[in-house]
Amino acid sequence: MAEFKRPSGRGMTEIRKMSAKVGVIPNADGSAMFSFGDTIAIAAVYGPRLLHPQHMQDPSTAILRVNYDLLSFSVYERKKPGPSRRSQEISKVTEWALLPVLDLKEFPNTVIDVQVYILQADAGTRTAGINAASLALAHAGIPMKNLVTSISVGKQDKNIVVDLDKDEEDYEEGEGATDFPIAKVANSDEYTLLQLDGKIEPSEVKKALTIADEACEKVYEVQKRALKEVVEQ
Amino acid sequence: MSSMETSNLTGRTFRKMFAEGKRFDGRGLNDFRAIEVTYNVSNKAEGSARVKVGKTDVAVGIKLEIGTPYPDSPDKGNIMVSGDLLPIASPRFETGPPKFNAIELPRLVDRAIRESGMLDLHKLVITPGEKVWTVIIDVYPLNDDGNLVDVATLAAVAALKTAKLPALKENGKIDYHAKPTGPLPLSSETYPITLTFYKLGESIFLDPTREEEEACDSRVALGLSKWNGKYMINSCQKGGETPFTKAELEKMMDLLPGKFDEINERLKKFL
């Protein structure tokens, strides 16, 4: 195959510059920022706190409630404020991505609210949001088996690449662009988020997951460093 | 009784039976129920179909409207998938603002169809940059006995296949009384389907009944098509909180091509 160069000039498995910071919202019980290049997500955790209305309470466990959205000015064409079908879906899949690592049984009748907002969007907002939310939950001291790490693998034409930016997502040559965001329990083979738009052969999925695994290890390192910083302070 | 949720006891029985590869209705874990396709649910729609898989029944109608292209794709028509979980179809569905499942269903159908490229959006332009066709796919389950996403995709694709582009009047409005100008610009290759794998305990299976679906831990919906002779996954969405392991995902990938061919083969007699 002819040498393929990413329009961004990055290597095929090169993630954009990541940064993470824990404790960005003083009012919250836990909070964090996570960024992939120009995509910046912030997450705040409130709770466990008593859930109202009372009939929604579950005496056997806390419930997790995630709200994800783009801030109106995070994209070129202003995003109308308020929940959209897209944001409601991402909120739900983020909830599913995080739940497997949480131990919520210790907090009956309560809710843990996770608020995720995107300040600046350049693709990969749900993966950045999950990484931030995972850090915020850890920062809030919620019992967790592990962190959740998230990255988007994808394809440009036939080439598997990691962490597509918006320009790369709009790629139209050959097979076009495929976005394959995943999340997993760190250092495991358990996938907690799987979404996909585009074209990938069933036989290529294994390779894509292996590439995602390696990228997730790097995400995990950035997350751990951010948590250590706050512990050392 | 019909409004009762699947009991824990039934759930445990399923778990045990699935582990032995057995189901209440005698099917194998990856077997679909009987598929039945009928067309022309409404002669006021530009295309329509109703698909039954076992007792699950979904009606889809296609309406075409004249719209404006999105600013970032002036040379493409639009697709829109909408629909609702109406209370006619199940004691579990209620009137009121759409709940998450009602939001997710059309979105999953949308992505399976859009990303497969079955509809050539470039050929839905009336005046470049100004006027394009908007293809509206409305999905309404009429009876929910599980596996709505897969059945809804079958019905949406069947309806698209029969849909016709209406003629336009001189003033540019749609002329519903004139003879349609032809079919929608569809790819001649095979048509997309959705295969949703459900997980209960260690077992993975397809096409659950409502009772089986409710007992499940999680599921992953995969949009599948053929493109340039190759099997392609076009969309994917995991639902539910239990993770899928890499081994489970690999097993599904191995099943996809055969299952895709089998379902397309079963659909042939309805063409």
Side-chain angles (χ1 to χ4, degrees):
Chain A
M1 198 187 297
E3 189 74 8
F4 172 81
K5 284 252 162 54
R6 291 175 75 165
S8 59
R10 277 187 281 148
M12 306 295 271
T13 60
E14 189 181 338
I15 308 172
R16 288 175 284 180
K17 185 177 177 298
M18 288 183 277
S19 66
K21 190 168 165 41
V22 165
V24 294
I25 297 169
N27 273 347
D29 296 304
S31 63
M33 177 283 294
F34 192 96
S35 70
F36 286 123
D38 282 345
T39 293
I40 306 169
I42 49 171
V45 171
Y46 288 91
R49 56 184 174 183
L50 208 56
L51 175 58
H52 294 290
Q54 208 170 357
H55 69 84
M56 283 174 67
Q57 293 179 1
D58 185 336
S60 68
T61 180
I63 68 164
L64 181 71
R65 202 160 54 182
V66 175
N67 177 49
Y68 157 102
D69 212 345
L70 298 163
L71 291 184
S72 56
F73 51 78
S74 64
V75 282
Y76 285 126
E77 301 256 342
R78 179 174 182 266
K79 193 239 163 219
K80 206 171 126 240
S84 62
R85 283 166 179 257
R86 173 184 176 274
S87 72
Q88 287 179 72
E89 182 179 86
I90 296 179
S91 299
K92 195 71 197 172
V93 296
T94 301
E95 215 170 273
W96 287 330
L98 296 168
L99 271 166
V101 298
L102 299 176
D103 185 0
L104 302 180
K105 300 276 186 259
E106 286 182 39
F107 312 106
N109 297 323
T110 66
V111 60
I112 297 170
D113 278 303
V114 180
Q115 299 289 340
V116 180
Y117 284 97
I118 306 302
L119 292 176
Q120 182 175 287
D122 186 23
T125 61
R126 78 198 63 191
T127 52
I130 289 169
N131 290 332
S134 175
L135 283 174
L137 285 161
H139 182 224
I142 311 291
M144 293 167 82
K145 296 181 192 79
N146 207 330
L147 286 172
V148 173
T149 58
S150 184
I151 190 89
S152 172
V153 279
K155 281 173 66 194
Q156 295 197 281
D157 189 14
K158 293 179 171 22
N159 310 283
I160 297 181
V161 296
V162 170
D163 184 31
L164 280 76
D165 59 39
K166 189 76 182 78
D167 280 343
E168 292 180 314
E169 255 185 26
D170 294 339
Y171 187 83
E172 286 193 342
E173 312 281 313
E175 291 180 12
T178 300
D179 186 29
F180 186 11
I182 68 122
K184 58 184 290 199
V185 181
N187 300 326
S188 82
D189 72 342
E190 294 190 314
Y191 298 89
T192 66
L193 170 98
L194 294 158
Q195 284 188 303
L196 185 140
D197 281 294
K199 291 187 178 66
I200 186 164
E201 290 181 63
S203 53
E204 294 173 309
V205 167
K206 187 179 174 183
K207 187 181 166 202
L209 288 176
T210 306
I211 291 173
D213 288 347
E214 284 162 16
C216 276
E217 282 173 26
K218 294 176 191 155
V219 172
Y220 185 52
E221 290 307 313
V222 173
Q223 287 176 309
K224 273 198 303 194
R225 212 179 309 136
L227 280 174
K228 274 184 190 151
E229 267 171 31
V230 73
V231 173
E232 281 159 12
Q233 270 168 16
Chain B
M1 287 299 281
S2 59
S3 65
M4 276 178 70
E5 290 179 12
T6 306
S7 68
N8 290 340
L9 179 62
T10 309
R12 282 198 297 273
T13 310
F14 281 144
R15 199 175 283 253
K16 195 163 149 271
M17 285 178 69
F18 289 170
E20 297 162 5
K22 290 187 206 152
R23 284 168 101 160
F24 277 3
D25 53 14
R27 285 184 288 154
L29 293 186
N30 297 318
D31 291 347
F32 264 64
R33 293 165 288 181
I35 302 175
E36 192 189 320
V37 185
T38 50
Y39 295 101
N40 205 15
V41 176
S42 162
N43 62 9
K44 299 294 183 290
E46 275 69 72
S48 58
R50 191 163 162 181
V51 173
K52 291 184 191 170
V53 173
K55 281 192 278 185
T56 294
D57 182 355
V58 179
V60 170
I62 311 292
K63 289 299 295 173
L64 282 152
E65 285 179 1
I66 296 165
T68 47
Y70 288 108
D72 59 348
S73 57
D75 56 345
K76 281 184 187 170
N78 304 321
I79 310 184
M80 200 177 106
V81 184
S82 82
D84 202 357
L85 301 181
L86 301 177
I88 188 175
S90 169
R92 293 161 177 83
F93 300 162
E94 288 164 18
T95 42
K99 303 226 164 66
F100 179 73
N101 288 341
I103 293 171
E104 191 188 35
L105 174 70
R107 288 181 64 82
L108 294 179
V109 174
D110 181 312
R111 300 213 298 262
I113 288 173
R114 185 189 301 271
E115 301 293 333
S116 74
M118 88 173 273
L119 200 52
D120 188 346
L121 297 181
H122 292 286
K123 290 189 183 146
L124 289 171
V125 176
I126 303 168
T127 318
E130 286 177 28
K131 268 167 64 176
V132 297
W133 287 111
T134 297
V135 179
I136 304 172
I137 303 171
D138 287 319
V139 178
Y140 290 105
L142 298 180
N143 192 68
D144 173 18
D145 190 28
N147 203 21
L148 280 179
V149 179
D150 294 5
V151 184
T153 306
L154 289 176
V157 170
L160 282 170
K161 282 196 224 183
T162 63
K164 301 270 190 300
L165 277 173
L168 294 177
K169 291 182 197 164
E170 274 177 26
N171 65 7
K173 296 245 163 66
I174 294 175
D175 186 347
Y176 289 108
H177 300 288
K179 195 168 170 277
T181 58
L184 292 183
L186 301 181
S187 140
S188 58
E189 256 188 299
T190 48
Y191 295 95
I193 62 168
T194 305
L195 284 175
T196 307
F197 288 91
Y198 290 80
K199 174 170 168 170
L200 177 63
E202 306 285 304
S203 306
I204 303 276
F205 62 103
L206 286 166
D207 191 32
T209 61
R210 168 55 38 196
E211 203 177 28
E212 290 172 336
E213 185 170 329
E214 257 169 28
C216 275
D217 300 326
S218 53
R219 53 116 242 255
V220 57
L222 297 159
L224 197 64
S225 70
K226 243 178 175 177
W227 195 76
N228 289 348
K230 288 186 289 198
Y231 299 99
M232 286 286 180
I233 298 170
N234 301 116
S235 59
C236 163
Q237 181 141 308
K238 170 184 158 283
E241 76 178 81
T242 306
F244 282 91
T245 65
K246 189 178 266 180
E248 287 166 341
L249 292 168
E250 284 173 17
K251 194 177 138 198
M252 289 174 211
M253 295 306 133
D254 292 341
L255 281 167
L256 289 178
K259 214 65 210 173
F260 179 83
D261 288 345
E262 181 206 311
I263 293 195
N264 269 285
E265 194 57 41
R266 286 170 70 175
L267 290 173
K268 271 187 186 158
K269 66 172 169 182
F270 299 107
L271 287 177

